[in-house]
Amino acid sequence: MDRPATCLKRVFLPILLFGTASLSPASTQEIGIKTNLLYDATLSPSLGVEIKTAPHWSFDLSASYNPWTLSHGKKWKHVLVQPEARYWFCEATGGHFLAAHLLGGVFNFGHWGHGAKFLNNDLRPLADHRYQGWFAGAGIGYGYSWLLSKHWSIEAEIAVGWAYTRYDVFECTGCGRKTESDKVHNYVGPTKAAVNIIYVF
C-alpha cells in the first residue's frame, strides 16, 4: 500500500470510508488553482492558488471580490484576501490538514432588512445604515482534500478566528451624510468556510 494511504489508515482509520485509499505519491501535486464554490454562490467570485512547499506543508493564497449593488439598494461589496499556511498529516495537498491564516480587506455594505444578532454581533443597524471601512485578522482551521483524478480535486475547510474592523457609518446605502467616523469593532467567530474545486498541475 502506498505511503499516504498507510498514513491515513494509521491516523484516521474510521474516515477511510471516504476514499482516502486512492491517494498515491504521484497524485499530490506542486501547484493548484482553485475557486470557492460557497463564495461564488453568494455572488463573490473567488480565486486561489496553492503551492506545495515541503512534504507536509503548503501555502495557499485566496481572494474574493463582490462589486455588486443588489436589488432595493442592498450592498455587500467587499474585497477579501486570505494567505494561509497548511500542515498536512500525510502528503501535502491530499487528505487532512490544519491551517493558520491571515485575512484583510475593505467593505461597503448596508440596507439588509432588519438584521439580527450573530455571535454577539448586532447586525440590526444594517437595515437603515451603510458601513464602509476595512478589516484585518487571523484564524485557524481544519480541512480535508479529496484527490479525484490526476488534475482535479475538491476540498472542504472551516476556520474560526478574530477580525479587527474600522469603519465609518452613513445614513443610507447610496449617499447620506456621515454620522460616525473611525468606529471599531472586534469580531470573533467563523473566518473561513470553503468548498473548493481545484485544478492541479
Side-chain angles (χ1 to χ4, degrees):
M1 182 168 291
D2 54 75
R3 188 179 65 81
T6 302
C7 174
L8 289 172
K9 277 193 172 182
R10 185 175 66 249
V11 180
F12 295 102
L13 181 60
I15 306 177
L16 286 176
L17 298 174
F18 293 100
T20 56
S22 64
L23 292 174
S24 67
S27 66
T28 56
Q29 305 297 316
E30 301 295 325
I31 299 175
I33 296 176
K34 62 184 70 178
T35 186
N36 186 342
L37 302 179
L38 299 183
Y39 291 178
D40 297 341
T42 59
L43 301 179
S44 300
S46 65
L47 184 64
V49 62
E50 183 171 7
I51 300 173
K52 180 179 176 180
T53 58
H56 292 278
W57 290 92
S58 68
F59 174 77
D60 180 275
L61 178 63
S62 61
S64 68
Y65 175 52
N66 186 331
W68 321 113
T69 296
L70 304 178
S71 61
H72 307 296
K74 292 181 179 179
K75 287 187 177 181
W76 198 266
K77 295 183 176 182
H78 71 266
V79 176
L80 167 65
V81 178
Q82 285 185 305
E84 181 173 86
R86 294 177 167 185
Y87 175 79
W88 298 80
F89 288 95
C90 294
E91 188 78 8
T93 72
H96 301 268
F97 65 88
L98 296 177
H101 66 257
L102 301 175
L103 67 148
V106 294
F107 61 88
N108 182 0
F109 53 78
H111 199 61
W112 280 89
H114 298 291
K117 285 191 173 182
F118 175 73
L119 297 177
N120 205 34
N121 299 282
D122 190 357
L123 306 180
R124 290 172 294 185
L126 287 175
D128 51 12
H129 290 81
R130 178 170 62 91
Y131 293 76
Q132 184 172 341
W134 60 271
F135 60 93
I140 55 174
Y142 163 80
Y144 188 90
S145 179
W146 292 266
L147 305 176
L148 304 178
S149 68
K150 180 179 178 180
H151 291 291
W152 292 98
S153 63
I154 190 168
E155 71 180 17
E157 181 184 2
I158 188 70
V160 295
W162 159 83
Y164 172 89
T165 63
R166 186 175 288 272
Y167 57 89
D168 299 327
V169 183
F170 296 83
E171 285 183 328
C172 64
T173 58
C175 55
R177 69 180 176 87
K178 185 187 298 185
T179 60
E180 298 179 84
S181 297
D182 283 334
K183 297 287 289 181
V184 171
H185 179 70
N186 286 285
Y187 163 83
V188 176
T191 52
K192 187 174 186 179
V195 176
N196 293 317
I197 186 73
I198 308 165
Y199 180 82
V200 292
F201 295 91

